[in-house]
């Protein structure tokens, strides 16, 4: 009896993998460059603009929109988010329930948490976490920093290792 259960579980896993691969192949047919179709998991809806590139071990959950020429690095998780055109999400980063503007970058090892809105041409450095914050265009948040429950005006620079929370920096 145990062998029958193992066979059923294996069959279900194979069918799920086939469905995931079908989604990836459809994206590739539309022009998305995927490094390894077997190592992209689309567990929701992924909409891509032109010339999008996705590296290995990326997980997409919920409703995700990627603008033209977006690049997603290896080992990223994208959950219910929108990424603007010409933006790079560097390896090992997480973007969840957030919007990242155009010509920006996150990470590597960046985390953009729920409720965050990141403007255009923003630099979110390595090991930076942004939580429920509005980041104006042209801002730079340097490595090892945390920005939470804050509003940053345009062109604000946050130094390395800074902790900013419950703050509004408005011109």
């Amino acid at each position: 009896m145990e062998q029958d259960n193992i066979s059923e579980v294996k069959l279900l896993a194979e069918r799920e993998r086939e469905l995931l691969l079908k989604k990836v192949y459809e994206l590739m047919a539309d022009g998305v460059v995927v490094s390894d179709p077997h190592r992209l998991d689309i567990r929701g809806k992924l909409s891509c603009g032109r010339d999008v590139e996705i590296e290995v071990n990326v997980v997409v959950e919920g409703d995700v929109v990627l603008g033209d020429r977006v690049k997603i690095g290896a080992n990223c998780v994208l959950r219910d988010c929108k990424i603007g055109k010409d933006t790079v999400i560097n390896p090992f980063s997480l973007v969840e329930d957030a919007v990242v503007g155009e010509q920006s970058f996150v990470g590597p090892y960046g985390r953009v948490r729920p409720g965050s809105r990141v403007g255009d041409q923003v630099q979110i450095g390595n090991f930076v976490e942004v939580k429920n914050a509005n980041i104006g265009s042209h801002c730079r948040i340097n490595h090892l920093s945390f920005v939470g429950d804050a509003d940053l005006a345009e062109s604000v620079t946050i130094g390395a290792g800074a902790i900013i929370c419950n703050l509004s920096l408005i011109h």
Side-chain angles (χ1 to χ4, degrees):
M1 189 67 157
E2 188 173 307
Q3 185 63 33
D4 289 341
N5 287 342
I6 291 172
S7 295
E8 288 178 26
V9 169
K10 183 178 177 186
L11 183 61
L12 286 174
E14 288 171 358
R15 286 188 179 157
E16 180 179 16
R17 176 48 48 194
E18 287 173 11
L19 290 173
L20 290 172
L21 276 171
K22 182 181 178 204
K23 288 181 181 182
V24 175
Y25 291 143
E26 288 171 357
L27 284 175
M28 293 172 73
D30 288 340
V32 175
V33 176
V34 176
S35 292
D36 183 346
H38 293 276
R39 296 195 289 166
L40 169 59
D41 286 350
I42 303 172
R43 302 174 185 163
K45 181 182 176 202
L46 175 59
S47 302
C48 295
R50 293 176 294 120
D51 302 318
V52 170
E53 297 178 24
I54 302 174
E55 285 292 328
V56 297
N57 298 328
V58 172
V59 177
V60 175
E61 297 177 338
D63 191 9
V64 174
V65 177
L66 305 179
D68 294 342
R69 296 172 301 282
V70 166
K71 293 183 178 167
I72 307 298
N75 304 298
C76 288
V77 177
L78 306 175
R79 187 177 297 129
D80 292 315
C81 62
K82 182 177 180 184
I83 311 294
K85 68 181 181 180
D86 299 306
T87 290
V88 176
I89 307 299
N90 286 301
F92 297 98
S93 294
L94 167 68
V95 180
E96 178 179 12
D97 195 23
V99 175
V100 178
E102 299 177 356
Q103 299 176 334
S104 297
F105 73 80
V106 174
Y109 294 96
R111 186 168 181 199
V112 182
R113 290 176 51 190
S116 297
R117 298 188 63 78
V118 177
D120 298 334
Q121 298 179 359
V122 171
Q123 300 173 16
I124 296 178
N126 42 330
F127 299 100
V128 168
E129 183 173 354
V130 176
K131 177 191 141 288
N132 193 37
N134 293 308
I135 310 298
S137 295
H138 308 284
C139 285
R140 297 181 309 170
I141 305 172
N142 291 309
H143 58 282
L144 300 167
S145 295
F146 172 81
V147 176
D149 301 302
D151 294 308
L152 302 184
E154 289 191 6
S155 302
V156 172
T157 298
I158 303 295
I163 298 172
I164 308 293
C165 53
N166 302 319
L167 179 69
S168 293
L169 296 174
I170 301 172
H171 289 139

